[in-house]
Amino acid sequence: MGRYRLILLITVILAIGVMATSYISYRVSRASIHDAIVESMLPLTSDNIYSEIQKDLIRPVFISSMMASDTFLRDWVLEGEQNHDRISRYLWEVQNRYGAFVSFFVSDRSRNYYYNRGLLKQVSPDVEDDAWYYRARGMQAPYEINVDRNTSHADGLIIFINYKVLDYDGSYLGLVGVGLAVDSVQKLVSHYQHKFKRDVYFIDAEGLVRLSGSRYHATGSRIQDKPGLEQVFRQARQQGAPASFEYDRQDSRQLINIRFIPELNWYLCVEQNESEATRDIRHALHANLLLCLVVTAIVVALVHVVLRRYQGKLETMATTDTLTGLPNRRAFDIVIDIFRNENDRARSNLAFITLDIDHFKAINDRLGHFGGDHVLVETARILKSSTRAADFICRWGGEEFLLVVKDCDEHNAMLLAEKMRSAIEHEAIGYKGAQIRITASLGVAVARAGDKVEAMLERADQALYEAKRAGRNRAVLGAVDR
């Protein structure tokens, strides 16, 4: 009866505490979520998106770099740009093999602009649409990422990777590169917005929304038409570094993080509605008021957890060798069925390796039982350091150990057995100022799907005895009964 009174007392105390602190918790949680969004969540989302953008641009940069160093391209230019079909086929192959939207080459010698269908035009410093080439021609870096319109594809917006092509002496030959359609990047933006559950959009330096996954900030709209956002954007440009801001949109409070993307010369905006972000907290306020109705269940669950924890400790004690800390034979009986079922399903091999310390009785007689125990502990340590975490190793009894290895054939099982044997032979075990050298004999058996565990253990034992008879300090593979 005393236990139930204690549970009732705990229930009353928790119920009063929940009802008294629910509203305070709501206010504190709301403020904490606000700070977390502004200081952590939005900046982290922005960082993640920026990282993914950089990752998405690695492949086209690599393709452009490969093209710029291609000996065919350089030789073709140096030989006088003969046979335009050759360069067209080359650009076509690059575009199709690597999935680029467009691939191109502009020769500095002839000013010819080649793409996958041949010669498009000749670039000229007097043509506004060709200004990009002369800007990129004088850049110090080997490449640039540029957002521009592509006259060969219906004047569509493309993200270009412009890469300098140099001859074998380092002289400038022209520009080569690939382009990504902004439509494909638009899909990435929609993916980011769906993934992070926040409005994601990009603004250029003039305040034009260039890409957007937000229904409130459509592509092509201008932030000058949104007074609150326009003021925030002006502050972000002045600060330069990534920063978080707040502004009012209609009847809601918006939290926004803005950072500059130098690769695109755009500003990345990640925005979240504060009311939507705290919706769960409002629901939690009501849920907290009902929490007292389930206190008893929680208490029972906690008691269950405590009992289960003690039960787990008892099971661990029952399945662990107290001397070496290894699983014992009872643990083997528990896990071997799991190993065997997995082995049968995968139709793979299961290796059994038995190990026995040579002349252990003489060690016990010379060092005493405490010395013998110390040798067993050190042997267990050596075996654990010589095997993988996925391998099952247990103390089989006395001075004998058993190792079970999944998906292991005869060759690898013998390699592992030899590795353990060598490690034991070459390890000097310190005890009371003396250095003790021991050896071990090992028996190996490998089971296929359907083989009986008992038969494998018997085969491993027979191999172990054969190792003993052959002079000890060796590993022997058991004969296969077929």
Side-chain angles (χ1 to χ4, degrees):
M1 182 62 67
R3 183 178 62 181
Y4 294 108
R5 287 180 179 175
L6 178 61
I7 292 176
L8 178 60
L9 178 60
I10 293 174
T11 301
V12 171
I13 293 174
L14 290 177
I16 294 174
V18 167
M19 288 186 291
T21 60
S22 289
Y23 183 72
I24 297 175
S25 298
Y26 166 71
R27 300 299 300 180
V28 172
S29 298
R30 182 185 176 94
S32 298
I33 287 180
H34 174 277
D35 293 341
I37 292 174
V38 171
E39 299 174 6
S40 177
M41 295 180 184
L42 291 182
L44 181 60
T45 301
S46 179
D47 290 342
N48 288 337
I49 294 175
Y50 182 40
S51 297
E52 293 202 27
I53 288 175
Q54 290 180 313
K55 179 186 67 177
D56 294 331
L57 292 175
I58 287 176
R59 180 176 173 82
V61 170
F62 170 76
I63 296 170
S64 300
S65 172
M66 178 198 67
M67 295 170 67
S69 60
D70 197 315
T71 56
F72 161 76
L73 179 63
R74 290 186 285 185
D75 290 343
W76 182 80
V77 175
L78 294 173
E79 290 169 2
E81 303 178 31
Q82 302 296 321
N83 191 350
H84 293 177
D85 288 340
R86 295 178 65 196
I87 191 65
S88 299
R89 287 197 302 270
Y90 171 77
L91 295 174
W92 178 264
E93 284 293 328
V94 170
Q95 181 173 331
N96 280 274
R97 175 171 295 185
Y98 297 104
F101 181 77
V102 64
S103 58
F104 66 91
F105 170 67
V106 181
S107 171
D108 193 61
R109 179 178 301 173
S110 64
R111 296 297 194 271
N112 286 341
Y113 184 113
Y114 301 100
Y115 74 129
N116 62 347
R117 296 182 182 178
L119 177 62
L120 177 66
K121 63 175 183 177
Q122 283 191 318
V123 297
S124 170
D126 300 325
V127 178
E128 183 180 355
D129 287 343
D130 297 337
W132 66 270
Y133 172 75
Y134 295 94
R135 182 199 67 250
R137 184 176 184 268
M139 65 184 176
Q140 297 298 318
Y143 73 93
E144 69 167 3
I145 300 173
N146 181 42
V147 181
D148 206 344
R149 297 191 177 277
N150 186 17
T151 56
S152 66
H153 287 82
D155 213 27
L157 199 63
I158 306 292
I159 297 178
F160 287 100
I161 312 297
N162 302 320
Y163 216 109
K164 284 185 175 182
V165 181
L166 306 177
D167 65 12
Y168 300 104
D169 296 325
S171 298
Y172 179 73
L173 295 179
L175 281 180
V176 72
V178 296
L180 300 175
V182 170
D183 289 342
S184 64
V185 182
Q186 177 70 58
K187 294 179 182 178
L188 291 175
V189 172
S190 300
H191 167 71
Y192 297 152
Q193 179 152 322
H194 176 74
K195 178 178 180 179
F196 297 110
K197 307 299 183 185
R198 299 177 178 95
D199 287 347
V200 178
Y201 53 98
F202 294 84
I203 304 174
D204 65 15
E206 285 71 38
L208 178 66
V209 179
R210 304 301 297 268
L211 289 174
S212 176
S214 168
R215 59 192 176 95
Y216 297 105
H217 307 289
T219 300
S221 63
R222 289 191 171 275
I223 62 169
Q224 286 82 356
D225 301 329
K226 305 163 185 176
L229 181 58
E230 194 273 338
Q231 184 178 0
V232 163
F233 181 62
R234 191 184 310 117
Q235 295 176 8
R237 293 190 61 183
Q238 292 174 352
Q239 292 190 15
S244 295
F245 305 90
E246 301 178 28
Y247 75 97
D248 292 322
R249 186 181 72 195
Q250 298 175 350
D251 296 328
S252 62
R253 190 70 171 169
Q254 298 299 120
L255 309 177
I256 183 172
N257 181 271
I258 302 177
R259 73 175 300 154
F260 181 62
I261 308 295
E263 291 86 350
L264 303 176
N265 198 28
W266 290 351
Y267 290 86
L268 167 63
C269 302
V270 180
E271 185 174 319
Q272 185 162 11
N273 185 290
E274 184 181 28
S275 178
E276 293 179 358
T278 57
R279 181 189 305 156
D280 291 341
I281 297 299
R282 293 195 300 273
H283 294 165
L285 173 64
H286 303 124
N288 286 339
L289 297 177
L290 301 176
L291 188 60
C292 59
L293 299 179
V294 295
V295 169
T296 302
I298 295 174
V299 172
V300 171
L302 291 174
V303 172
H304 172 69
V305 169
V306 172
L307 292 177
R308 187 172 58 184
R309 180 178 299 174
Y310 278 108
Q311 183 181 4
K313 289 183 178 180
L314 291 176
E315 291 177 353
T316 300
M317 293 174 62
T319 57
T320 302
D321 177 54
T322 55
L323 176 63
T324 62
L326 293 177
N328 59 19
R329 196 160 185 163
R330 179 184 175 89
F332 170 82
D333 294 337
I334 295 173
V335 303
I336 191 58
D337 288 337
I338 300 174
F339 278 33
R340 184 173 56 183
N341 291 337
E342 291 178 353
N343 183 58
D344 290 345
R345 283 196 302 269
R347 304 195 65 79
S348 60
N349 302 324
L350 193 64
F352 295 82
I353 303 175
T354 56
L355 180 148
D356 189 88
I357 300 174
D358 295 330
H359 304 295
F360 186 72
K361 184 178 183 301
I363 295 173
N364 251 346
D365 292 341
R366 187 171 80 253
L367 302 179
H369 288 294
F370 289 111
D373 289 347
H374 180 72
V375 169
L376 290 173
V377 171
E378 289 299 299
T379 302
R381 178 186 60 79
I382 296 169
L383 294 180
K384 285 192 289 186
S385 65
S386 302
T387 55
R388 306 170 302 179
D391 300 335
F392 177 82
I393 183 169
C394 70
R395 185 182 178 190
W396 194 239
E399 67 274 19
E400 189 172 351
F401 299 85
L402 173 67
L403 179 69
V404 183
V405 186
K406 293 187 288 187
D407 193 20
C408 183
D409 57 18
E410 285 87 348
H411 175 71
N412 288 317
M414 287 298 293
L415 288 178
L416 178 58
E418 179 59 27
K419 176 184 176 183
M420 293 189 295
R421 185 206 64 77
S422 178
I424 291 173
E425 180 184 18
H426 293 93
E427 180 82 12
I429 299 175
Y431 182 71
K432 292 186 176 179
Q435 297 295 314
I436 305 166
R437 297 279 184 174
I438 64 171
T439 61
S441 302
L442 299 93
V444 180
V446 177
R448 272 71 173 183
D451 285 346
K452 299 292 186 181
V453 173
E454 295 78 6
M456 293 303 102
L457 292 174
E458 183 177 353
R459 188 190 303 168
D461 275 342
Q462 291 174 354
L464 174 62
Y465 295 142
E466 179 62 29
K468 292 283 190 181
R469 286 193 296 268
R472 295 182 171 83
N473 191 25
R474 66 193 64 213
V476 173
L477 177 65
V480 180
D481 298 329
R482 290 288 185 248

